[in-house]
Amino acid sequence: MISKENFEKFIKKSLKDRTFFIVTNREPYIHTKTPDGVKVTKTAGGVHTLLDLVAQASNAIYVAHGSGNADKSVVNKHNIVPVPPKTKSYSLKRVFLSKKELENFYYGFSNQTLWPLSHAVFVKPEFHASWWKSYQAVNKKFADAILEEIGDKPAFVWVNDYHLALVPKMLKDSGKNIKVGTFWHIPWATYEIFRVNPWGKEILTGMLGSDFIGFHRGYHVQNFIQCVQRMIEAQIDFDQSHITFKDHISKVESLPAGIDYQEILEIKKEATSTLKKQFNREMGMNIEYLAVGVDRLDYTKGLIERFKMIDRFLEKHPEFQEKFIYYGIMPYSRIHIPVYRNYAKAVTDLCDKINWKYSRNDWEPIQLNLEGMSREKVITYYKNADLCLITPLDDGLNLVAKEYALSCEEESGMIVLSKFAGAANDLRHALLINPYDIEQGADAIYQALIMPSKEKKERNMKMREDLKSKNIYQWAINFIEKTLFE
Ligand code: G6P
């Protein structure tokens, strides 16, 4: 297993005099005003946890949108603040956006055009020239922020996700000595879907400024290459997975992200294993089976389908009533977008309906936490839960699945996982379902809960072997090597 120390050595040896940059829209640390002064919090979950660790191990310059209401007050004249608060091991350079830019770039083109266009969940993307104009302008702001820090030195830039598709070309066009690797964390649509985007060609050529483009799954790579083949004049070497566009070569490959194996185990070690007892004591219940789910409240996550599966499971197996509880950690997300607001309402309404249907003696089957919680607490839930329900209708990877597979107790935990999550390919020993098939989902919940401990242990241990060898540092090394050397 590659450790943090090995990764640090690798960075020194391979990047030599190149300054290392990571660029994402969402920042890893947010400063907010509170009655007790300015408070700094870590962005919860997913890819931000991973990139924060990569940045810490490499003393990177991390460029991201400053979204906290105290963010401006703590940066220097170059908009930089050292983070994490204790170790200050890397520099966070903030890009500040106006309300209009936020509306058009983030809520508009990123999350109402590219997000629904990329996920096959039948939510219609919207196309507005003003959003596109803002997307271009904001991408330029991010590229300029990087170029300002690069000066005349050679650099390596890790571009992250769909908010910043134009940044790679902008960096290359500067003529500076920059290696650019782009990781697209969400699915890439088929040509028949992608072609409706009036600015699809510009998105593709923007990304082809990269030396390497990574996706989580092989079919995302195939879809991307097909879009290039049908939409722009580029040479494609299918064997090598190389695209040559205007004399520049981009390598395109799947490279599913790993998790911070060691760090998770350390948190797990400290976490209590008596959560169910505490639950029962505090709430006067008699729960034997705890199921958990951790998702942003997003229409791609299959939350309606998940609740329907729980309902059907309790209908078919009434002996689990009053003994089973589902705890959903489900923070609100992108709530200014109408489809998210409507979805949040539909999800919470359905939860009320199901709880009303079954409620008895103070027991309700579904409990929701709409705020989110610290990583330590989430891992405590994972450790204690007999089941994790992960039911996206389409998902680039889904890191929760990998985190739960490692954090649960191997003899009692089990995952019910949508086969439409990229992680399903790496977690073949989970119980895989089609989230649209409610009956199958309900049966999988039952199967997970009655599965003998021996079988659970075997399945969980097999999944963990892979998680250990392909951990986050290994993932980052592969990404950097492919961008630098191949
Ligand atoms: C997905 C995307 C990330 C994004 C995250 C949270 O995982 O791939 O790029 O940051 O969702 O969404 P938000 O809009 O809150 O940044």
Side-chain angles (χ1 to χ4, degrees), residues 24-26 43-44 46-48 106 111 115 119 160-163 184-186 296 298 301 333-334 395:
T24 70
N25 174 61
R26 175 75 54 205
T43 307
V47 69
H48 308 289
Y106 173 75
N111 287 313
W115 181 267
H119 290 87
N160 192 65
D161 234 351
Y162 60 99
H163 315 85
W184 184 274
H185 283 272
I186 63 175
R296 283 179 308 102
D298 189 300
K301 301 292 181 188
S333 176
R334 306 174 191 166
D395 207 339

Side-chain angles (χ1 to χ4, degrees), residues 27 42 65 177 180 187 190 201 351 369 426 454 456 474:
E27 59 183 341
K42 206 169 161 177
H65 166 221
N177 179 357
V180 184
T190 61
K201 277 188 192 171
C351 165
N369 172 327
D426 305 318
K454 188 166 169 282
K456 284 188 176 172
Q474 183 62 62

Side-chain angles (χ1 to χ4, degrees), residues 23 135 139 156-169 171-172 179-185 188 203-216 224 248 250-253 255 475 479-480 482-483:
V23 54
Y135 185 83
N139 270 244
F156 179 103
V157 183
W158 180 324
V159 180
N160 192 65
D161 234 351
Y162 60 99
H163 315 85
L164 301 169
L166 308 180
V167 168
K169 181 173 185 301
L171 294 178
K172 283 287 171 179
K179 285 282 185 182
V180 184
T182 298
F183 206 97
W184 184 274
H185 283 272
W188 190 280
I203 295 285
L204 292 171
T205 54
M207 288 179 67
L208 289 174
S210 318
D211 298 286
F212 175 68
I213 302 171
F215 294 93
H216 288 299
F224 178 81
H248 173 70
S250 307
K251 190 173 176 66
V252 190
E253 268 186 32
L255 193 61
W475 176 64
F479 180 81
I480 294 167
K482 283 175 192 298
T483 307

Side-chain angles (χ1 to χ4, degrees), residues 115-150:
W115 181 267
L117 185 72
S118 304
H119 290 87
V121 298
F122 313 105
V123 169
K124 197 172 166 190
E126 285 188 37
F127 300 97
H128 298 291
S130 56
W131 291 359
W132 167 240
K133 221 170 129 200
S134 176
Y135 185 83
Q136 290 170 293
V138 171
N139 270 244
K140 177 140 188 342
K141 262 193 168 179
F142 275 91
D144 287 347
I146 299 166
L147 292 170
E148 186 182 294
E149 287 308 312
I150 289 179

Side-chain angles (χ1 to χ4, degrees), residues 7-21:
F7 179 67
E8 284 167 356
K9 280 187 202 145
F10 164 84
I11 286 283
K12 281 201 187 88
K13 213 171 116 206
S14 57
L15 292 188
K16 298 195 181 87
D17 56 345
R18 285 185 190 273
T19 315
F20 187 38
F21 287 84

Side-chain angles (χ1 to χ4, degrees), residues 276 287-291 320 323-326 386 449-450:
K276 267 187 275 183
I287 300 305
E288 281 174 40
Y289 303 96
L290 172 66
F320 281 84
K323 292 187 187 145
F324 167 95
I325 201 166
Y326 169 80
D386 304 282
L449 296 181
I450 62 156

